[in-house]
Amino acid sequence: MLQVKNLHASINNKEILRGINLEIKAGEVHAIMGPNGSGKSTLSAVIAGNETYEVTEGDVILDNKSLLEFAPEERAHKGIFLSFQYPIEIPGVTVTNFIKTAVNETRKANGLEELSAKDMLKLIRAKADLLELDRKFLSRSLNEGFSGGEKKRNEIFQMAMLEPKLAILDETDSGLDIDAMKVVANGVNKLKNKDNAVLLITHYQRLLDYITPDFVHVLYNGKIVKSGGKELALELEKKGYDWLK
Amino acid sequence: MNKFTEDDLKKDLENKEYEYGFYTDIEADKFPVGLNEEVVIAISKKKKEPEWMTEWRLDAFRIWKEMEEPDWANVTYKKPSFQDISYYSAPIQKPKLDSLDQVDPELLKTFDKLGISIDEQKRLSNVAIDIVVDSVSVATTFKKTLNEKGIIFMPISEAIQEHPELVKKYLGTIVPKGDNFYAALNSAVFSDGSFCYIPKGVTCPMELSTYFRINEGGTGQFERTLLVADKGSYVSYLEGCTAPQRDENQLHAAVVELIALDDAEIKYSTVQNWYPGNAEGKGGVFNFVTKRGLCEKNAKISWTQVETGSAITWKYPSCILKGDNSVGEFYSIAVTNNYQQADTGTKMIHLGNNTKSTIISKGISAGKSQNSYRGLVQVGKRAKNARNFSQCDSLLMGDLCGAHTFPYIECKNKTAQIEHEATTSKIGEDQLFYCNQRGINTEKAIALIVNGFGKDVLNKLPMEFAVEAQKLLEISLEGSVG
């Protein structure tokens, strides 16, 4: 589904990613771990098309087509979803209004008709129930005054609504207590199926207790230095990152 | 990969052309330029006014002659030469109109372009429209329904003929002839406008609506609106306008007077979209407006405005809270782009006991524009338990525009409670990227963010007007982002 080939990216002429290779197939869960500053968030931002970063070499391919020439919204329309580490506030725009716009814009881009208000509401309610979201939550301003847990649940809710091919969860566990993390992990597990894939970006092993990865990659200094199964995560937890440097 | 930066965004915003820029070719009956007593008398004669009205105008003209154009507002512009303006222009048309078929087809086309076709308005929104094009009302609808309730809604020129006692009693009582430079000028030369009277205890069954429009190049527009809500009555009044594209500056100096007698309520909503000038700051309407309302006991006046147009806006819809327990409200969204300058706000004058006022002002600046909020909250010596809450929020786009806030508070009674809150924020690239990542393009994202920012005010508009206002906000700020 997704292939990252020898990807180099920099910001202000400073190289952050130095040749990343990664292949994710449908139905798989990959985890990328690594110390602070290793380039984890940069990788997710570059795949999503954040134009603050410049791709200097390599390619990102989704379903045999390069993504690099597409704007962020076009990548979203093709099925890339990024759950933000720090979700952005948009005052005065309700969760419902925002996701309604996002879903309809995506449908239009894919040649589908906009959902009627009634169907939209039905879908929103179904997904909110699936993730055990309080419906009152839906009429609040997007991320404004949300707790850390609420912000992340909202990201997962949007993911549920948009049903992406590839969901990238950037440090979704950061700032969450154990209960909130369980709720979020539970949501991700419910949404996972054989046709989509998940890329988890995380600092700690603990999220992987709840979402089991098929593959774990260690990112260090802009390169993947080691790949393995889920047992690699446990090893990292014990030994830290130093032994890989 | 095309990198869309904030600079591109700014460029797109600057390139946004005025979408309602067109010109209707209607034969006009127009005075030569210049202003003196003869011109004032001629205007009065043209409107077949009684002598008291002519004298009233002349008195205003004499006051105006002695006044100087104010320059305290936070705007800079080349002052108009008042002797280079023609003070009267009326479309030539058949004298009596019973149905739309009789209206000049060119004019109807103009309305179609604006998306305010009278037919559609009539059918869909239950709105009675008194349309003012170039100073003379050409069609009045829904008169019958209003008549049954005893509501008077007509061009002020007709009201002067048909209801002189009402006009004489109230005209100039809220905005006196010599109130300020532009109000004095308006009093001398006003061409037409609307008059509305709601009888005691009557709730007006529909939103009353007037569309103003400047049409003839170089013609100043001096509208006069007088609205009287008698005891215990209620009315919601909508005023909206767009103007055709022009190269020379056009002066617009309107006066609106509202009178809410005991227990009455007036809701006055405006969507203003005069031509703002082009991307280089050339042309555009100068909008110097005096709007003021008086609240008697338990009365309420609520001003809601969405200001997107004009090169210069100078406008402070105000409330005099004279009666005990009266309430004044001001909800405003002002958008400036390119070289537009807006100095707008309100005055809340608390005179009665237990009076309450609320001010919510949202300023959005883009391009090289300057957007100022100027407000006065005044509590008189004998006004016990006055309460005010003010909130002024500014949203900036790019780094070449400005937002300013000038809140004045004059409190002479220590039982008053006055609160003021202010915020300034910027549409950030991170907000846009977040929207983009969810499949929402930049153009749509800006519309979403701006509408969210203005929500508290948009919510105060009547439904059909709110939709139009949202469209206008989008038109004013969006470009064809690629």
Side-chain angles (χ1 to χ4, degrees):
Chain A
M1 176 189 282
L2 184 88
Q3 289 162 292
V4 178
K5 286 185 176 167
N6 189 30
L7 185 66
H8 290 252
S10 54
I11 183 164
N12 303 327
N13 293 322
K14 189 176 171 245
E15 190 165 61
I16 312 277
L17 302 183
R18 304 157 189 261
I20 303 245
N21 290 292
L22 185 66
E23 180 162 8
I24 301 175
K25 293 200 177 79
E28 292 179 347
V29 176
H30 288 242
I32 291 196
M33 302 182 71
N36 283 333
S38 57
K40 299 190 301 288
S41 286
T42 302
L43 177 62
S44 61
V46 168
I47 295 173
N50 190 328
E51 286 154 5
T52 320
Y53 301 93
E54 195 190 347
V55 174
T56 50
E57 212 185 320
D59 208 348
V60 178
I61 295 162
L62 182 75
D63 296 336
N64 304 316
K65 267 194 93 176
S66 173
L67 282 180
L68 294 184
E69 64 193 280
F70 294 105
E73 64 269 24
E74 293 170 315
R75 299 183 194 202
H77 298 155
K78 290 178 191 302
I80 301 280
F81 179 90
L82 172 62
S83 167
F84 283 59
Q85 184 177 1
Y86 304 108
I88 310 294
E89 293 179 8
I90 306 186
V93 177
T94 61
V95 172
T96 301
N97 190 15
F98 183 74
I99 196 62
K100 187 185 89 189
T101 309
V103 168
N104 277 335
E105 288 296 300
T106 303
R107 288 181 66 93
K108 271 196 286 183
N110 288 310
L112 297 169
E113 276 189 32
E114 292 190 22
L115 280 186
S116 71
K118 201 178 136 209
D119 290 343
M120 182 65 76
L121 200 64
K122 239 173 150 176
L123 184 66
I124 288 174
R125 286 189 171 161
K127 298 294 185 184
D129 290 349
L130 181 76
L131 300 172
E132 293 162 50
L133 271 183
D134 186 347
R135 284 186 189 169
K136 270 187 236 151
F137 180 82
L138 299 169
S139 49
R140 287 172 62 185
S141 276
L142 191 73
N143 292 320
E144 200 184 28
F146 282 21
S147 70
E150 285 172 332
K151 281 184 182 172
K152 298 299 167 73
R153 275 169 80 171
N154 182 32
E155 295 289 286
I156 302 303
F157 166 68
Q158 293 182 39
M159 175 179 137
M161 288 293 295
L162 290 162
E163 299 182 329
K165 274 189 197 148
L166 175 72
I168 306 166
L169 309 184
D170 187 7
E171 305 268 2
T172 292
D173 53 331
S174 72
L176 296 191
D177 60 32
I178 202 80
D179 291 330
M181 195 168 71
K182 271 187 198 164
V183 171
V184 166
N186 206 7
V188 173
N189 286 330
K190 278 182 188 165
L191 297 168
K192 210 178 67 181
N193 62 42
K194 63 174 177 29
D195 298 318
N196 60 25
V198 178
L199 179 60
L200 296 170
I201 294 190
T202 182
H203 213 79
Y204 301 107
Q205 192 271 337
R206 57 173 200 166
L207 179 66
L208 306 182
D209 288 341
Y210 301 97
I211 306 173
T212 316
D214 301 301
F215 300 94
V216 174
H217 311 276
V218 180
L219 191 63
Y220 179 72
N221 208 7
K223 275 186 178 168
I224 289 177
V225 292
K226 195 169 176 62
S227 296
K230 65 176 178 198
E231 64 287 346
L232 179 57
L234 294 168
E235 202 176 343
L236 287 170
E237 182 83 350
K238 247 183 262 158
K239 295 191 190 166
Y241 291 106
D242 282 345
W243 61 284
L244 289 166
K245 286 180 186 173
Chain B
M1 180 160 70
N2 277 332
K3 198 166 146 62
F4 188 85
T5 62
E6 220 175 315
D7 289 338
D8 296 327
L9 171 60
K10 258 183 287 179
K11 222 174 287 155
D12 279 330
L13 294 172
E14 279 159 19
N15 289 338
K16 189 65 197 171
E17 295 292 340
Y18 184 69
E19 296 210 350
Y20 291 149
F22 47 80
Y23 173 68
T24 311
D25 194 15
I26 302 171
E27 218 184 320
D29 170 8
K30 191 171 164 182
F31 275 25
V33 298
L35 184 57
N36 52 45
E37 294 206 0
E38 279 73 59
V39 170
V40 175
I41 292 167
I43 291 170
S44 191
K45 210 175 234 164
K46 195 103 198 160
K47 321 261 349 155
K48 301 188 179 69
E49 286 174 355
E51 210 189 316
W52 64 266
M53 197 62 233
T54 314
E55 282 307 315
W56 198 86
R57 285 177 183 274
L58 282 172
D59 194 28
F61 175 73
R62 285 168 201 142
I63 295 169
W64 176 74
K65 255 194 342 197
E66 304 303 317
M67 294 176 98
E68 273 185 36
E69 197 172 354
D71 56 7
W72 44 261
N74 187 27
V75 292
T76 49
Y77 59 97
K78 192 173 160 282
K79 292 196 166 126
S81 164
F82 293 94
Q83 293 304 336
D84 289 342
I85 293 170
S86 163
Y87 286 87
Y88 183 81
S89 157
I92 291 169
Q93 56 175 46
K94 291 173 209 159
K96 203 73 199 156
L97 295 168
D98 299 321
S99 78
L100 289 178
D101 306 340
Q102 291 170 287
V103 177
D104 187 335
E106 275 292 305
L107 204 58
L108 290 179
K109 249 188 255 167
T110 306
F111 291 137
D112 284 343
K113 275 190 240 173
L114 285 168
I116 54 157
S117 122
I118 303 167
D119 266 324
E120 200 190 355
Q121 291 273 1
K122 263 178 163 178
R123 206 174 49 241
L124 296 175
S125 50
N126 196 32
V127 173
I129 309 163
D130 176 29
I131 298 154
V132 179
V133 168
D134 260 77
S135 325
V136 167
S137 300
V138 291
T140 306
T141 49
F142 282 87
K143 236 178 177 159
K144 210 175 142 234
T145 325
L146 297 176
N147 269 341
E148 283 162 9
K149 295 254 178 191
I151 293 167
I152 305 167
F153 180 41
M154 57 172 57
I156 198 161
S157 55
E158 277 177 36
I160 289 166
Q161 313 278 353
E162 290 178 30
H163 304 279
E165 71 298 338
L166 281 173
V167 176
K168 211 170 167 179
K169 185 172 172 191
Y170 292 109
L171 188 71
T173 55
I174 311 303
V175 179
K177 281 173 280 197
D179 185 77
N180 67 67
F181 183 83
Y182 308 109
L185 180 64
N186 174 289
S187 301
V189 303
F190 75 85
S191 36
D192 215 333
S194 297
F195 174 77
C196 178
Y197 173 80
I198 316 290
K200 270 179 205 160
V202 169
T203 294
C204 183
M206 60 184 77
E207 318 269 2
L208 297 181
S209 175
T210 312
Y211 280 90
F212 291 106
R213 177 170 173 75
I214 298 177
N215 210 330
E216 192 71 11
T219 309
Q221 182 103 359
F222 304 94
E223 302 291 346
R224 187 99 197 178
T225 302
L226 178 59
L227 203 166
V228 182
D230 212 328
K231 289 177 183 172
S233 67
Y234 169 83
V235 64
S236 168
Y237 192 95
L238 318 179
E239 168 204 60
C241 46
T242 57
Q245 198 149 358
R246 278 280 148 252
D247 257 343
E248 58 201 293
N249 290 309
Q250 290 178 305
L251 178 65
H252 182 236
V255 172
V256 176
E257 293 177 281
L258 309 184
I259 294 133
L261 297 178
D262 293 0
D263 305 299
E265 182 177 347
I266 301 174
K267 203 170 146 57
Y268 194 102
S269 314
T270 307
V271 169
Q272 187 267 115
N273 185 27
W274 299 112
Y275 178 51
N278 67 10
E280 280 81 50
K282 197 161 174 265
V285 169
F286 288 5
N287 195 24
F288 302 109
V289 183
T290 308
K291 291 185 166 179
R292 196 175 300 151
L294 176 78
C295 287
E296 295 285 359
K297 222 167 113 188
N298 304 321
K300 178 175 171 183
I301 288 179
S302 180
W303 298 99
T304 307
Q305 58 173 25
V306 176
E307 304 275 321
T308 65
S310 298
I312 312 275
T313 302
W314 183 99
K315 181 177 172 185
Y316 316 92
S318 305
C319 297
I320 302 168
L321 304 172
K322 182 180 161 216
D324 290 353
N325 313 314
S326 58
V327 177
E329 293 174 337
F330 174 75
Y331 302 104
S332 167
I333 298 178
V335 179
T336 53
N337 197 358
N338 296 321
Y339 286 89
Q340 278 178 277
Q341 302 177 67
D343 193 302
T344 184
T346 183
K347 286 186 202 170
M348 292 292 175
I349 316 289
H350 294 255
L351 299 175
N353 294 325
N354 310 314
T355 48
K356 243 169 79 179
S357 63
T358 306
I359 299 170
I360 310 276
S361 163
K362 306 267 181 179
I364 300 161
S365 336
K368 296 182 175 122
S369 66
Q370 297 295 328
N371 201 328
S372 304
Y373 166 81
R374 185 183 303 276
L376 169 67
V377 176
Q378 195 179 55
V379 178
K381 220 157 131 186
R382 281 189 294 271
K384 272 187 217 145
N385 303 318
R387 297 199 54 174
N388 162 266
F389 173 75
S390 303
Q391 186 183 336
C392 304
D393 298 327
S394 307
L395 187 68
L396 299 165
M397 294 171 150
D399 51 12
L400 297 173
C401 55
H404 315 268
T405 307
F406 304 97
Y408 301 88
I409 295 173
E410 288 171 19
C411 183
K412 292 185 182 132
N413 187 306
K414 55 185 175 188
T415 60
Q417 265 187 51
I418 298 171
E419 289 174 71
H420 182 92
E421 285 180 12
T423 67
T424 304
S425 55
K426 198 175 166 211
I427 290 193
E429 282 177 59
D430 54 348
Q431 275 178 325
L432 294 177
F433 178 64
Y434 188 75
C435 294
N436 291 160
Q437 209 298 307
R438 298 298 188 254
I440 302 167
N441 67 32
T442 301
E443 191 169 338
K444 199 111 199 168
I446 291 171
L448 202 65
I449 294 166
V450 166
N451 278 317
F453 175 75
K455 192 171 148 192
D456 295 346
V457 175
L458 291 170
N459 278 347
K460 299 289 173 189
L461 288 172
M463 189 60 139
E464 65 272 28
F465 225 34
V467 174
E468 198 177 313
Q470 272 185 18
K471 229 168 81 186
L472 206 56
L473 285 185
E474 290 171 24
I475 287 172
S476 309
L477 285 168
E478 287 171 16
S480 45
V481 179

